[in-house]
Amino acid sequence: MTAPTISYLQWFARQLAQAGLRRAFGVPGGGTSLDLMSALHDQGIETVITAREDAAVIMAGVSGLLAGGPGLAFTTRGPGLASALNGLASAALDRLPALVISEDFDAADLDYMSHQVLPQSSLVAPILSQGHGGELAASPAALEGWLATGGSTELPAP
């Protein structure tokens, strides 16, 4: 008999729930937003749909601060992440424990897409560095390291 497997998003939601996350905030779009919302729901995490991405990030940061753990905001790729920049700046400057996840473009997407493609890492890097944050790899080790700090804005060394 083999052990049951779960998706990365199911694992991700379980880790955040165990760390104390009770609400996530965001603007869903295409891609994996609905899969993320389903995984969060399965872990008893309420999803609050916001009108704007910047508000989602600020709400996630304040929620994390009040709960003493991480806050989660999610955005769509390209313009969705760009819209979150004001929220990221506020969270960075106020040292709010916000984890922002965004859909991304992979190499196969870029073969045929040009609409709404932005250099996402380059877009957020200056803001994240001001708050002593940074980009986490989409890996279990990166998330576990960040959660071990209580969702600190000081990211663990890679």
Side-chain angles (χ1 to χ4, degrees), residues 7 13 15 20 31 34 38 45 63 65 67 74 81-82 85 92 104 110 118 123 125 127-128 134-135 137 143 152:
S7 73
Q15 296 302 307
L34 296 179
S38 176
I45 298 171
S63 178
L65 187 64
F74 59 91
L81 182 59
L85 291 180
D104 199 2
L110 299 176
L118 297 171
L123 191 65
I127 293 172
L128 294 177
E135 202 171 335
L143 180 66
S152 169

Side-chain angles (χ1 to χ4, degrees), residues 60-85:
V62 170
S63 178
L65 187 64
L66 293 173
L72 177 66
F74 59 91
T75 74
T76 58
R77 59 189 174 184
L81 182 59
S83 180
L85 291 180

Side-chain angles (χ1 to χ4, degrees), residues 146-157:
W146 185 75
L147 290 173
T149 69
S152 169
T153 57
E154 298 286 341
L155 291 177

Side-chain angles (χ1 to χ4, degrees), residues 21-147:
L21 184 74
R22 298 293 169 251
R23 281 177 203 80
F25 304 87
V27 179
T32 60
S33 297
L34 296 179
D35 295 334
L36 172 64
M37 291 167 58
S38 176
L40 294 170
H41 179 268
D42 291 347
Q43 294 298 319
I45 298 171
E46 178 185 8
T47 298
V48 178
I49 304 302
T50 61
R52 296 178 10 188
E53 292 85 350
D54 58 340
V57 179
I58 293 169
M59 293 165 75
V62 170
S63 178
L65 187 64
L66 293 173
L72 177 66
F74 59 91
T75 74
T76 58
R77 59 189 174 184
L81 182 59
S83 180
L85 291 180
N86 281 336
L88 278 170
S90 293
L93 294 171
D94 292 334
R95 304 278 200 264
L96 298 176
L99 176 63
V100 179
I101 61 172
S102 175
E103 295 170 358
D104 199 2
F105 301 94
D106 61 26
D109 291 336
L110 299 176
D111 286 343
Y112 67 91
M113 292 181 80
S114 62
H115 180 67
Q116 299 185 338
V117 175
L118 297 171
Q120 296 190 157
S121 292
S122 299
L123 191 65
V124 299
I127 293 172
L128 294 177
S129 68
Q130 289 298 309
H132 304 286
E135 202 171 335
L136 287 177
S139 72
L143 180 66
E144 288 167 348
W146 185 75
L147 290 173

